[in-house]
Amino acid sequence: MSRLISFVESHLVWFVIVVAGLGLAIPDAGKFLEPLIGPLLALLMLIISVTFDVHDVRLVLRKPSRQLLALGLVYGPMSIAGWLTGRLFFGSGPLAAGQTLLGTLPTDVSSPLLVLMARGNVALAAVFNAINTALSPFIVPFLFLWLTGIPLEVPIGSIIFELTVVILVPTVLGVSLRTKFPKFFARHDSAYAGLGSIIYLLILLAVVGPNAATIMGYGGYAFVIAGAALCLNLIGYLVAMTSRLFTTDRKEVITYLFTVSKKEFSIAAAFVAASGLPSEIAIPAAFFAVIQMITSPIAAKILARG
């Protein structure tokens, strides 16, 4: 089993491509897993959280300037980048608005896994993730209204649920277990990234399958939407590199790379549904979900080698 886990982690990039293709070819496989996305994300956060203890969290909390920088990068330049790429690729209309919404979203829940695989500061990534998500109901509607003139209703219930059940509870539980039984969990440190990779693949399948018909339905234009998603994703890495002006710690820079470049796509659909907006506004986020789940393992592999 340990060899299989290690093999999946070592070849995650290829597994991601195969699973994405499988989701498009056999959508029912992903649809079957769709109701499990929440539990899978919670399990992923639990696995990631047993890699650090309460001491590591305290060290992170002693540097509030790091969190302020993360907030500024995630919600500042990335929101502008979402608006600009929306205008560039789509001009105006629902897809342009959707690309703008995408730029304003908080960090993706799976970002700590990629930070772990890239040998970054996982505790810092987990704190960034929790705080960015918690503030999203107050920041995203304001930014979206400012950039598009479209009011956005806040799905407080779903966001609080995600923050509590998917992020907060698993993180507290994982950190508590690592703090109380450090030797036991330290013995398995080499397996956590691999286990997380397997869950990551299941989440990818659960994302691609339900959206396969929509993706394929756009025909050749799907490449334009995917191109916009890839452009924003790459801009995220470039924006995150500005963190080197404030820190020389390589692990912290790696953490910023995945905190800024990855977006929590599921919140987009919740905002759109709560606001009664055209469902097409959520399409860029669906495409971005697939793109970021392909590019992130590639980036993590390159950074880990470096």
Side-chain angles (χ1 to χ4, degrees):
M1 178 61 73
S2 61
R3 290 184 179 180
L4 174 61
I5 292 173
S6 178
F7 182 78
V8 172
E9 180 192 356
S10 301
H11 300 83
L12 182 58
V13 174
W14 298 109
F15 275 105
V16 163
I17 294 173
V18 170
V19 169
L22 179 65
L24 291 174
I26 311 176
D28 287 341
K31 291 177 181 178
F32 175 78
L33 290 172
E34 186 180 16
L36 300 176
I37 289 181
L40 286 171
L41 286 172
L43 180 59
L44 179 61
M45 288 303 302
L46 176 63
I47 291 174
I48 297 304
S49 298
V50 296
T51 64
F52 57 92
D53 60 20
V54 70
H55 174 69
D56 297 317
V57 176
R58 285 172 181 164
L59 290 177
V60 169
L61 296 178
R62 288 174 185 171
K63 297 181 178 180
S65 60
R66 297 291 186 257
Q67 178 58 60
L68 291 175
L69 176 59
L71 282 171
L73 296 178
V74 168
Y75 288 116
M78 290 304 291
S79 296
I80 301 298
W83 178 79
L84 288 174
T85 52
R87 296 291 296 270
L88 176 64
F89 282 86
F90 310 117
S92 60
L95 289 178
Q99 186 75 5
T100 302
L101 176 60
L102 177 60
T104 67
L105 296 179
T107 304
D108 182 55
V109 174
S110 68
S111 61
L113 170 64
L114 282 305
V115 172
L116 173 64
M117 294 176 62
R119 311 295 187 263
N121 189 326
V122 184
L124 186 63
V127 172
F128 282 175
N129 192 14
I131 294 179
N132 290 344
T133 303
L135 293 177
S136 63
F138 310 100
I139 298 177
V140 173
F142 168 77
L143 290 173
F144 189 68
L145 178 63
W146 174 56
L147 291 168
T148 66
I150 301 173
L152 204 61
E153 293 295 327
V154 181
I156 291 290
S158 63
I159 292 178
I160 291 178
F161 175 82
E162 178 168 329
L163 178 65
T164 304
V165 178
V166 176
I167 300 177
L168 187 59
V169 172
T171 300
V172 171
L173 178 59
V175 172
S176 300
L177 289 172
R178 179 73 181 218
T179 303
K180 191 170 184 178
F181 308 104
K183 292 183 179 179
F184 174 80
F185 286 100
R187 287 203 301 266
H188 305 284
D189 276 348
S190 61
Y192 297 134
L195 289 171
S197 298
I198 293 173
I199 297 174
Y200 188 82
L201 292 172
L202 293 175
I203 294 172
L204 174 61
L205 184 59
V207 169
V208 175
N211 291 289
T214 301
I215 294 172
M216 302 299 288
Y218 276 98
Y221 197 68
F223 290 100
V224 177
I225 305 175
L230 179 60
C231 184
L232 184 62
N233 187 222
L234 295 178
I235 289 174
Y237 288 110
L238 292 176
V239 169
M241 287 301 292
T242 62
S243 63
R244 297 181 66 180
L245 299 173
F246 304 92
T247 178
T248 57
D249 188 318
R250 187 173 187 274
K251 289 187 175 183
E252 289 187 358
V253 174
I254 288 174
T255 303
Y256 282 108
L257 286 173
F258 294 105
T259 296
V260 178
S261 65
K262 291 176 69 65
K263 292 290 186 178
E264 182 46 54
F265 56 90
S266 63
I267 292 182
F271 274 115
V272 170
S275 304
L277 297 173
S279 59
E280 194 174 15
I281 291 179
I283 294 300
F287 274 80
F288 190 87
V290 179
I291 293 297
Q292 74 174 0
M293 294 189 82
I294 294 174
T295 61
S296 295
I298 297 175
K301 194 173 186 67
I302 293 172
L303 290 166
R305 287 178 176 175

